[in-house]
Amino acid sequence: MLHLIKLSVGPKDVAALAAIQQDRLRTDPPLRAWTRMFPKRRDEILDGGSIYWVVAGFVRVRQRILDLREEEWDDGTPCAALVLDPTLVAVEARPMKPFQGWRYLKPEEAPADVAQGRPAPRGLDRLPPRLRRDLAELCLI
């Protein structure tokens, strides 16, 4: 199994990412995220892999990758469509510096899911980015 990690460009918090995805799912199913480069390690990703989303400088959530398809942008340029499970799974927040595209993420390097039964921290998105970063570096959030 192998995961991907990618920046969520645009949404300022997980709620905004969820709203955008719900709209896409409603208007153009199945839920997909598009990227220019097609992952070469397709079989490993489809063996239970997820995409981990970096939102506002932190890895926050993941989604199972159900399929990888070759599609085209509106201008005919080939791209990869990651078909995603609509469920966003909260993971332990981890700071991440910006990068372009996506990266492979080994399972042992992936942040753990937020423990079931433990409520997810609330209000973190309202904290100033620097304070969130400092708290995460201290492993307090």
Side-chain angles (χ1 to χ4, degrees), residues 4-74:
L4 298 178
I5 187 166
K6 184 169 177 25
L7 296 181
S8 174
V9 179
K12 302 292 185 205
D13 56 38
V14 174
L17 173 64
I20 289 168
Q21 288 191 352
Q22 287 302 312
D23 187 53
R24 280 187 193 161
L25 181 60
R26 185 177 46 79
T27 60
D28 188 21
L31 179 60
R32 292 163 299 194
W34 295 271
T35 185
R36 187 170 61 91
M37 300 302 294
F38 196 91
K40 291 181 177 25
R41 298 171 71 180
R42 181 181 194 276
D43 292 340
E44 292 172 85
I45 293 167
L46 294 179
D47 187 27
S50 292
I51 186 165
Y52 284 75
W53 291 107
V54 179
V55 180
F58 290 85
V59 180
R60 297 283 187 167
V61 292
R62 70 174 181 87
Q63 290 175 282
R64 286 280 317 270
I65 298 173
L66 304 176
D67 197 8
L68 295 169
R69 299 180 182 174
E70 291 184 23
E71 291 191 6
E72 292 182 351
W73 299 108
D74 291 338

Side-chain angles (χ1 to χ4, degrees), residues 86-139:
T87 304
L88 291 169
V89 178
V91 299
E92 293 179 359
R94 179 184 297 170
M96 180 67 62
K97 292 182 179 180
F99 60 91
Q100 289 192 350
W102 52 264
R103 303 284 183 266
Y104 291 116
L105 180 65
K106 296 176 187 173
E108 61 271 14
E109 295 172 356
D113 291 354
V114 171
Q116 295 294 341
R118 183 179 107 193
R122 294 175 53 150
L124 292 179
D125 293 332
R126 292 191 301 264
L127 294 175
R130 183 179 175 134
L131 178 58
R132 280 196 319 251
R133 186 173 42 254
D134 291 347
L135 291 171
E137 287 174 6
L138 294 169
C139 299

